[in-house]
Amino acid sequence: MKKTATRVENQVYSTRVLRSEFDRNWRTFVSRSGYVVYTATANRAKIIVLLADGSRKLLIFGKGGRVLVGGGGTSHYSKPHVARDL
């Protein structure tokens, strides 16, 4: 059985995200500055992200957690959240 790394991360950003899949527990809007803002509407809101190196991660947020996605695919993740290698 493959052991997966799990950790709690503070506020981070990434330019390596190629694709993100959000579960149904997110609300979305576009800010005046042009960022797409995703806000978790429930505890344990999940996102699976595919990174440029081919790895995948599961990110788990509490209610009110936020993800901001800007131009060029830059993603900012609020604190704290759980990150698990897939």
Side-chain angles (χ1 to χ4, degrees):
M1 177 194 276
K2 181 181 173 186
K3 186 174 180 175
T4 59
T6 301
R7 64 198 161 283
V8 175
E9 294 183 336
N10 284 315
Q11 190 166 349
V12 297
Y13 75 93
S14 176
T15 59
R16 302 180 311 141
V17 176
L18 297 178
R19 179 184 169 135
S20 297
E21 295 180 22
F22 292 76
D23 69 8
R24 67 174 189 227
N25 296 312
W26 294 88
R27 184 181 42 147
T28 307
F29 72 94
V30 178
S31 71
R32 283 188 270 174
S33 62
Y35 279 90
V36 178
V37 180
Y38 298 86
T39 304
T41 59
N43 284 322
R44 299 195 49 79
K46 296 176 183 168
I47 308 168
I48 295 176
V49 295
L50 174 63
L51 301 177
D53 66 1
S55 64
R56 294 184 324 143
K57 293 188 181 288
L58 171 65
L59 306 179
I60 304 170
F61 290 78
K63 186 175 183 177
R66 287 188 156 193
V67 176
L68 284 75
V69 178
T74 301
S75 302
H76 301 266
Y77 302 96
S78 68
K79 59 182 177 181
H81 62 272
V82 172
R84 183 175 300 147
D85 295 333
L86 296 177

